[in-house]
Amino acid sequence: MLKLDAAAVREATPWDELMAAIAELLGEDTAHVPQREIHDVGLPDGGTGSLLVMPAWIDRQLLGVKAVTYYPSNAGTDVPTINAGYLLFDGQTGQLSAVLDGDELTLRRTAAVSALAADRLARSDARRLLVVGTGNLAPNLALAHAAVRDFEVVEVWGRNPRRSAATAQQLADRDLPAQPAASLDDAVERADVISCGTGSTSPLVRGDLLAPGTHIDLVGSFRADMRETDDAGVMAATLFVDTLDGAVGAGDLAQPLDAGVISTSDIAADLASLVAGRHQGRTTDDEITLFKSVGFALSDLAAARLVHRRISTGALKAHDPGTAAS
């Protein structure tokens, strides 16, 4: 049984290979993805967190399951709000093959899914990227999007200006043209691509500020009480989702659906249809496109399979359970 820490998972999942692995598995006929389960968890501060259980498997190949905790009470501390672990099993014997750092796996596949969708939905001449949020996901979103577009400017906005500046500097150190944004509204107006990775329960991005041709990517919200853009943003855009069943349960779509502002028929396509070419994606340069992602277990399994393949071919060093991965 292998134990792979965050560094090993990161090493084994370069953006281009990870996006290709996700696209490949989306077309796999023998893949199975039961609906994920979300359970409420009481928190020490009296609030409510979440436990998510996300299984997926490919017949006779691999089985995987991710367990995720969401503790909003950790916000503003040194402890992440989202923590996860991933178990990978052999599809022939059912034996446990590997334990992977679920946090890094989640960050990598989440950002890769966003970039994979943006590759098909953002304008080819998009040059300004805005990342909304300053958590661990934010730099991954910027780096993944930059793997499919050459951005001239990458702006970072968060409620805490110091964290915005620190995230922008982290990206600048990775050779991205990054800078903090002082005003979210101003940054929204000048952005070509907007990627939101927050746990906000109230809309942040105003739809009436979106310029024609903008692509907006909503990643952070996964519960019905979470929201990253308003009704105007949803109504202005052609809507795309990672998976229909998951996306309509998150506030960005669930709330306008409940209010009758939109219907499920307004959702143009899911990621599998985009990747397979069953939907062409963006149709005009002036079209506003919106991609709502809540995360899906097949993308986790795709990332884990990529790690497994690289170990099997000797491209990544395996580690014993009792030792730390390098």
Side-chain angles (χ1 to χ4, degrees), residues 20 29 43 51 57 64 170 175 218 234 237 246 248 252 254 263 282 288 293 299 310 316-317:
D29 291 337
L43 302 181
L51 169 66
W57 64 90
Q170 182 180 352
D175 297 324
L218 305 178
V234 174
V248 297
D252 283 304
S263 67
R282 171 176 294 276
I288 295 173
S293 172
S299 61
R310 298 198 68 181
L316 181 69
K317 183 180 178 183

Side-chain angles (χ1 to χ4, degrees), residues 5 27 60 125 194 212 275 288 319:
D5 68 2
R60 297 172 296 281
D125 64 346
I194 301 170
V275 168
I288 295 173
H319 303 271

Side-chain angles (χ1 to χ4, degrees), residues 51-181:
L51 169 66
L52 292 78
V53 181
M54 304 172 63
W57 64 90
I58 312 167
D59 286 343
R60 297 172 296 281
Q61 292 187 37
L62 293 170
L63 298 87
V65 60
K66 186 172 74 173
V68 187
T69 59
Y70 173 64
Y71 272 48
S73 54
N74 291 343
T77 73
D78 293 333
V79 181
T81 58
I82 295 177
N83 297 275
Y86 196 87
L87 302 178
L88 186 65
F89 297 86
D90 185 286
Q92 293 285 344
T93 67
Q95 291 179 296
L96 182 62
S97 300
V99 178
L100 289 75
D101 185 282
D103 296 338
E104 191 67 22
L105 189 82
T106 301
L107 293 172
R108 301 288 292 183
R109 67 83 156 136
T110 301
V113 164
S114 291
L116 184 62
D119 190 34
R120 289 153 174 80
L121 295 175
R123 298 194 326 268
S124 60
D125 64 346
R127 292 296 178 263
R128 299 187 67 97
L129 170 67
L130 168 63
V131 175
V132 180
T134 57
N136 290 336
L137 182 57
N140 285 277
L141 287 170
L143 291 165
H145 278 281
V148 298
R149 286 287 186 281
D150 291 325
F151 291 105
E152 295 173 354
V153 178
V154 178
E155 292 193 276
V156 179
W157 181 88
R159 290 190 175 93
N160 185 321
R162 279 187 286 187
R163 288 178 64 91
S164 299
T167 302
Q169 184 59 55
Q170 182 180 352
L171 294 172
D173 291 342
R174 299 289 299 273
D175 297 324
L176 289 189
Q179 61 191 41

